[in-house]
Amino acid sequence: MSLITIVIPAYNAAKTLPATVQSLTRQTWVDWQAIIVEDGSQDDTFAVAQALAEDEPRLTVVRNPGKGPSDARNHGAIDLARGAFIAFCDADDIWLPGKLSSVVTSLLMGEADAVFGRIGFFESDPAQVGARSTVPEGRVTVPMLMGENPVCTMSNLTVRTDVFRKLGGFRADMVHNEDLEWLIRLVGSSHELCGLHEDHIRYRTSSGGLSSDLAAMLRGREQAMETARRFGFSPDDRAEAIHLRYLARRALRVGCEPRLALRLALSGLRRDARAFLFPLHRGAATALAAMLAPALPAPLRHTLFSK
């Protein structure tokens, strides 16, 4: 039995899945099993996954047609995983070679129940990294999660299998922020979530999408905040300002209509200017970028704000 199970939900991922799987085969930690949960794709994802599995005995392919990423992750992690740890990986992201070794060592040697690392964001070439995520010091708290999710993406989360199953997996009725809602349940239940100050992930960004999904994202976040309230925490102006800063940064990074980033930044500044602006390299830079964005040509905005 492998020590760690990797769960990969895959929907319309025929073009990106081979690079993702290749990044798994390049891991320095070799004792793993991976489960690709194909979720009713309209392209050749299933055939591509099967072909990859023919060449890699540690890879298994199953189908979970059209039930959504949360249900696909739950199926892989709760019903099928055999490892003591579960690492989630999206079908369009790239893991750096030392990721599994880093998270397994941390979970074996430490007391954390779940861990994550740093992320580098890229568009088409993983070697061309723009922005990077930051990792907070110490254990993650519910108030911290109400402001900004430092894990950023499911590809960055590794958790003890028994803990994941005890908490019941992800809410399949949520389309956005289901990962945040689960992390709040994890931390609110006195489980320890810790960041590792090492690069683990290359995250593939895509243009657009935020504007049309913004309302759904906000609804999902409110559902996550309802979970926080059940643990005795309520979002305040500081948390709202930090969350609006995150949305403004994302709007700038993925190339949304520039006035959207400006509106988000102004809303955050009105909520709590200090929380929005500090630390300066994140807050002040975001505010300045959002204010400049509407006046800049689209190619220049893309060059500046995708970094």
Side-chain angles (χ1 to χ4, degrees), residues 250-292:
R250 181 171 173 183
L252 289 166
R253 182 179 296 134
V254 302
C256 290
E257 200 280 322
R259 287 178 179 79
L260 173 61
L262 180 57
R263 289 196 299 271
L264 292 166
L266 291 174
S267 294
L269 289 166
R270 283 193 294 268
R271 285 277 192 163
D272 187 327
R274 181 172 181 81
F276 188 98
L277 292 171
F278 290 89
L280 291 174
H281 73 278
R282 293 176 68 80
T286 301
L288 180 60
M291 291 174 187
L292 289 175

Side-chain angles (χ1 to χ4, degrees), residues 33-295:
Q33 90 175 118
I35 303 169
I36 297 175
V37 185
E38 197 283 319
D39 198 34
S41 300
Q42 298 175 337
D43 65 1
D44 294 329
T45 296
F46 186 63
V48 169
Q50 287 184 307
L52 292 168
E54 289 179 1
D55 296 328
E56 176 49 71
R58 293 171 293 182
L59 190 62
T60 301
V61 183
V62 299
R63 300 192 99 159
N64 192 55
K67 296 181 181 179
S70 289
D71 195 272
R73 291 186 181 105
N74 289 343
H75 181 47
I78 295 175
D79 301 330
L80 303 175
R82 300 191 301 272
F85 309 132
I86 296 168
F88 295 99
C89 182
D90 288 344
D92 58 351
D93 292 336
I94 306 295
W95 282 1
L96 297 183
K99 176 200 159 62
L100 282 185
S101 179
S102 173
V103 298
V104 168
T105 300
S106 177
L107 289 168
L108 285 174
M109 302 298 292
E111 298 181 355
D113 297 294
V115 295
F116 62 98
R118 285 194 302 255
I119 299 170
F121 299 89
F122 75 97
E123 290 185 41
S124 57
D125 183 358
Q128 301 295 317
V129 174
R132 279 184 167 84
S133 68
T134 57
V135 173
E137 297 292 340
R139 62 189 301 171
V140 176
T141 65
V142 173
M144 186 186 300
L145 290 168
M146 289 191 296
E148 189 169 19
N149 177 4
V151 181
C152 296
T153 172
M154 287 304 304
S155 289
N156 198 22
L157 179 67
T158 304
V159 59
R160 298 183 189 274
T161 304
D162 59 342
V163 171
F164 184 79
R165 289 172 174 166
K166 181 172 70 173
L167 292 174
F170 302 106
R171 282 181 50 175
D173 63 326
M174 292 181 65
V175 177
H176 291 284
N177 281 307
E178 68 279 6
D179 54 340
L180 175 63
E181 194 276 338
W182 187 85
L183 291 171
I184 289 173
R185 275 191 279 138
L186 173 78
V187 175
S189 302
S190 299
H191 295 289
E192 187 169 341
L193 171 66
C194 286
L196 306 175
H197 294 271
E198 302 172 28
D199 284 356
H200 284 178
I201 312 290
R202 292 293 180 258
Y203 178 89
R204 190 185 306 270
T205 61
S206 59
S207 298
L210 180 63
S211 179
S212 60
D213 287 343
L214 185 58
M217 289 176 67
L218 292 174
R219 285 195 300 272
R221 183 171 184 273
E222 181 52 35
Q223 290 174 294
M225 295 305 99
E226 286 297 328
T227 297
R229 292 183 184 97
R230 291 201 296 272
F231 288 103
F233 298 93
S234 295
D236 54 16
D237 284 340
R238 181 179 184 278
E240 294 300 317
I242 293 172
H243 180 66
L244 287 162
R245 182 182 69 196
Y246 157 75
L247 291 177
R249 287 171 65 86
R250 181 171 173 183
L252 289 166
R253 182 179 296 134
V254 302
C256 290
E257 200 280 322
R259 287 178 179 79
L260 173 61
L262 180 57
R263 289 196 299 271
L264 292 166
L266 291 174
S267 294
L269 289 166
R270 283 193 294 268
R271 285 277 192 163
D272 187 327
R274 181 172 181 81
F276 188 98
L277 292 171
F278 290 89
L280 291 174
H281 73 278
R282 293 176 68 80
T286 301
L288 180 60
M291 291 174 187
L292 289 175

